[in-house]
Amino acid sequence: MSEFQKDFLWGGATSSSQFEGGYNEGGRGLSHMDYIRRVEKSDKEKVFPINVTPEMFEEHKQKEDEYNFAFRRGSDFYHHYKEDIALLGEMGFKTFRMSIAWSRLFPTGLEEEPCEDGVKFYHNVFKECHKYGIEPLVTMIHYDIPVYLTETLNGWESPKVIDYFVHYTKFLIDEYKDEVKYWITFNEINMIMNSSYLGGGLFVEKSDKPEETCIHQALHHQLIASALTVNYFREKAPKCQVGNMIARLQNYPYTCKPADVLATQQQNQFNYFPTDIQVKGYYPNSILNYYRKKGIEIEWYTNYEEILKEGTVDFAAISYYHTAAISADPDKAEPIGAFIRNLENPYIDITGWGWGIDPTGLRISLNDMNDRYGIPIFIVENGLAARDILTENLEVHDTYRIDYMRAHLQAIKEAIGDGCSVMGYTSWGCIDLVSCGDCQMTKRYGFIYVDADDEGNGTYKRYRKDSFHWYKKVIETNGQEL
Ligand code: BG6
């Protein structure tokens, strides 16, 4: 039947670095995200903000007071959490996805004991959630790593970071297991292959290894850290449910030429492989073969096969934004790192940021994953970015967002009707926050408008958009009224 189950987890999602702010309060240490600088569009052709190089990093440190480090401000959830959670409660949220800032608890990553203020802050946030019947869904790391680990160990390139991370996650489990039932270890673990600074807090330029080897080595460390964390859940917090997460990129063959279909299959295998490992507990042959062909030699972690086998997750989470078409034609198939360039699909519209709008792709993806993994799927990010306008009456008429979400929720409903097991949906940036790729406040996703601009000017007051009232109804009717 095409219906959302009664306990469907409706909600919205955020991340600490993009939303929390308070970067220099409560003893928080800096994270590598705090060194990503907002650059104007005209400069963006030359500099992509999230791909920080060692030279850029040094420059950013020199100009700490001059540059616009928007992630440091986020949307100031640190000071607004009570009213923010009250608004989510008003919408009837069943769950709220947020992440914990590692450096708020362990400022450099190396401390034995956590920072008390940080520990209290998250207790307060969870308490506030429960006041409104909201189950927190916590991501243990949404990219942000203490910058000290980037500077001293080259981030996830070093296996030592596994120990520091597991020390941190064991603390999270011991401290919060009774307040948080749903957890995700790593946000979009596959993003390290797109941006190694963002996803791995590392500089490929500083590694002795070839670029791709360095990235896959760091990813291996993340997969181990995730599995060791899952193992600890099993031991100490069996009532908690833990998931992995990838940025799901559903690819289509550009034509029905077998070569295009094969190239697409390979891209999809590449997109899925971290989830294959985290759900099935072993590296698939397709990726091992890819390593052999490319001469990528991984220094395997001791007992890695056993660790991965024991550290499999309860649910598979995805972000889903867009789809792309793949061609094997050498004139069209320009390689970008390990990927082939995505081509525009003439059958779908695009957002103001060029992302293909494709609700059917979500239905396809859910079916695909359901067949492949057979465990519940959680859509923990999806949404439409737009330049919303706050009217003089302090309203935002975002019908475009409602249309987008209605179509995606309809697709989920149909996928459920196809037999897919979907446990919840948390739309991205439910309260406006700083965009990740663009380091920009005015690329908005929320049901709630935050009065701030790209430079951090504004009152940071919150206003309900039209989509707020629409989503409230959706939740109230458990998706009967879309
Ligand atoms: C996901 C990330 O990839 O996409 C989020 O997990 C991010 O952190 C979201 O914000 C949307 O991307 P952007 O660049 O529009 O913020």
Side-chain angles (χ1 to χ4, degrees):
M1 230 190 359
S2 291
E3 271 193 27
F4 296 97
Q5 74 268 13
K6 281 205 176 64
D7 56 355
F8 190 80
L9 290 164
W10 296 99
T14 59
S15 75
S16 50
S17 65
Q18 295 168 259
F19 189 52
E20 195 173 280
Y23 78 99
N24 56 0
E25 293 180 66
R28 177 185 178 282
L30 290 174
S31 95
H32 82 304
M33 298 288 283
D34 295 325
Y35 284 95
I36 296 177
R37 171 194 168 206
R38 158 113 186 104
V39 288
E40 286 313 316
K41 247 216 140 73
S42 49
D43 294 333
K44 253 186 84 178
E45 266 129 55
K46 289 172 263 149
V47 189
F48 194 54
I50 54 175
N51 292 339
V52 177
T53 62
E55 293 72 35
M56 283 161 74
F57 184 78
E58 283 313 314
E59 187 192 321
H60 294 180
K61 281 183 73 179
Q62 303 291 324
K63 308 223 169 156
E64 291 249 4
D65 301 328
E66 250 174 78
Y67 283 169
N68 181 357
F69 296 112
F71 292 128
R72 297 184 183 197
R73 300 186 296 267
S75 305
D76 200 24
F77 177 67
Y78 193 70
H79 296 108
H80 288 78
Y81 71 93
K82 287 195 177 165
E83 72 175 283
D84 283 351
I85 296 169
L87 283 163
L88 304 181
E90 189 183 324
M91 267 190 284
F93 270 36
K94 308 289 178 214
T95 190
F96 170 47
R97 178 175 176 231
M98 53 173 277
S99 71
I100 288 183
W102 183 355
S103 63
R104 188 171 290 295
L105 299 187
F106 297 92
T108 64
L110 263 50
E111 294 78 4
E112 223 8 77
E113 296 302 323
C115 185
E116 271 312 309
D117 282 358
V119 178
K120 255 190 242 148
F121 172 68
Y122 293 113
H123 275 303
N124 291 342
V125 169
F126 300 146
K127 195 169 144 209
E128 217 53 31
C129 286
H130 289 297
K131 199 159 127 187
Y132 299 95
I134 299 172
E135 268 306 332
L137 161 64
V138 172
T139 315
M140 294 170 139
I141 180 167
H142 193 119
Y143 302 140
D144 53 345
I145 170 173
V147 75
Y148 184 81
L149 299 180
T150 290
E151 288 193 277
T152 55
L153 294 171
N154 207 22
W156 283 100
E157 187 187 4
S158 167
K160 285 195 189 137
V161 173
I162 300 175
D163 299 338
Y164 297 130
F165 180 77
V166 174
H167 178 68
Y168 156 68
T169 56
K170 282 184 173 174
F171 171 77
L172 294 186
I173 297 167
D174 292 339
E175 184 74 19
Y176 299 118
K177 63 177 185 304
D178 297 327
E179 290 154 70
V180 180
K181 185 168 166 199
Y182 302 105
W183 299 81
I184 289 171
T185 53
F186 280 75
N187 178 67
E188 297 185 335
I189 203 163
N190 56 341
M191 273 306 282
I192 192 172
M193 294 182 279
N194 281 40
S195 170
S196 50
Y197 182 81
L198 178 75
L202 62 82
F203 299 107
V204 280
E205 300 86 342
K206 285 195 175 171
S207 172
D208 300 336
K209 301 181 174 65
E211 181 171 334
E212 228 186 321
T213 305
C214 166
I215 290 170
H216 284 270
Q217 184 66 56
L219 174 58
H220 179 64
H221 294 155
Q222 294 184 333
L223 290 162
I224 295 294
S226 172
L228 290 170
T229 299
V230 175
N231 289 341
Y232 196 70
F233 269 113
R234 303 294 180 233
E235 205 187 302
K236 297 286 170 124
K239 287 194 188 135
C240 292
Q241 288 189 38
V242 56
N244 76 321
M245 181 189 171
I246 55 161
R248 174 73 192 116
L249 302 171
Q250 180 67 48
N251 298 300
Y252 303 133
Y254 194 61
T255 71
C256 53
K257 261 190 250 160
D260 287 353
V261 178
L262 182 64
T264 307
Q265 185 179 51
Q266 286 166 344
Q267 288 284 292
N268 278 321
Q269 280 172 330
F270 207 79
N271 180 244
Y272 275 132
F273 86 80
T275 300
D276 291 341
I277 297 168
Q278 293 179 295
V279 173
K280 297 178 180 171
Y282 55 89
Y283 275 70
N285 282 333
S286 55
I287 191 71
L288 294 175
N289 223 22
Y290 177 82
Y291 288 171
R292 269 191 293 274
K293 271 198 301 208
K294 298 292 276 290
I296 295 173
E297 285 179 21
I298 303 291
E299 289 162 23
W300 302 103
Y301 193 82
T302 319
N303 292 335
Y304 79 97
E305 282 166 309
E306 210 177 302
I307 294 170
L308 294 178
K309 204 164 140 203
E310 284 176 3
T312 57
V313 291
D314 300 308
F315 62 87
I318 53 165
S319 62
Y320 176 88
Y321 291 96
H322 46 78
T323 56
I326 301 291
S327 166
D329 178 345
D331 291 337
K332 296 199 180 85
E334 178 198 338
I336 301 188
F339 299 88
I340 301 179
R341 184 163 73 91
N342 294 326
L343 301 171
E344 246 174 56
N345 182 338
Y347 302 101
I348 57 178
D349 291 333
I350 52 170
T351 70
W353 277 266
W355 294 15
I357 303 175
D358 185 7
T360 307
L362 179 54
R363 182 173 174 187
I364 297 170
S365 246
L366 292 173
N367 271 283
D368 216 27
M369 289 184 69
N370 195 61
D371 290 348
R372 195 175 179 115
Y373 301 122
I375 60 171
I377 307 160
F378 205 152
I379 301 142
V380 295
E381 282 187 36
N382 171 246
L384 178 72
R387 285 180 200 281
D388 296 329
I389 294 170
L390 186 68
T391 66
E392 280 180 7
N393 301 335
L394 305 175
E395 290 167 349
V396 178
H397 302 304
D398 56 343
T399 25
Y400 37 87
R401 179 165 295 112
I402 297 174
D403 292 344
Y404 176 101
M405 289 186 63
R406 179 185 293 121
H408 284 77
L409 289 173
Q410 188 58 41
I412 297 170
K413 213 174 182 180
E414 279 155 12
I416 292 171
D418 297 335
C420 297
S421 161
V422 184
M423 63 190 277
Y425 175 86
T426 58
S427 71
W428 178 245
C430 47
I431 301 177
D432 290 344
L433 42 67
V434 178
S435 126
C436 181
D438 296 271
C439 203
Q440 172 187 17
M441 191 72 205
T442 49
K443 183 182 184 189
R444 297 171 186 276
Y445 286 89
F447 304 116
I448 295 160
Y449 185 93
V450 175
D451 175 33
D453 69 11
D454 293 338
E455 312 303 318
N457 304 311
T459 60
Y460 282 79
K461 276 194 179 160
R462 278 55 172 157
Y463 299 98
R464 295 167 186 80
K465 303 182 193 176
D466 288 356
S467 57
F468 178 101
H469 306 288
W470 171 80
Y471 196 51
K472 183 173 189 282
K473 198 59 181 256
V474 170
I475 300 177
E476 239 166 52
T477 63
N478 199 35
Q480 299 267 0
E481 265 184 54
L482 290 180

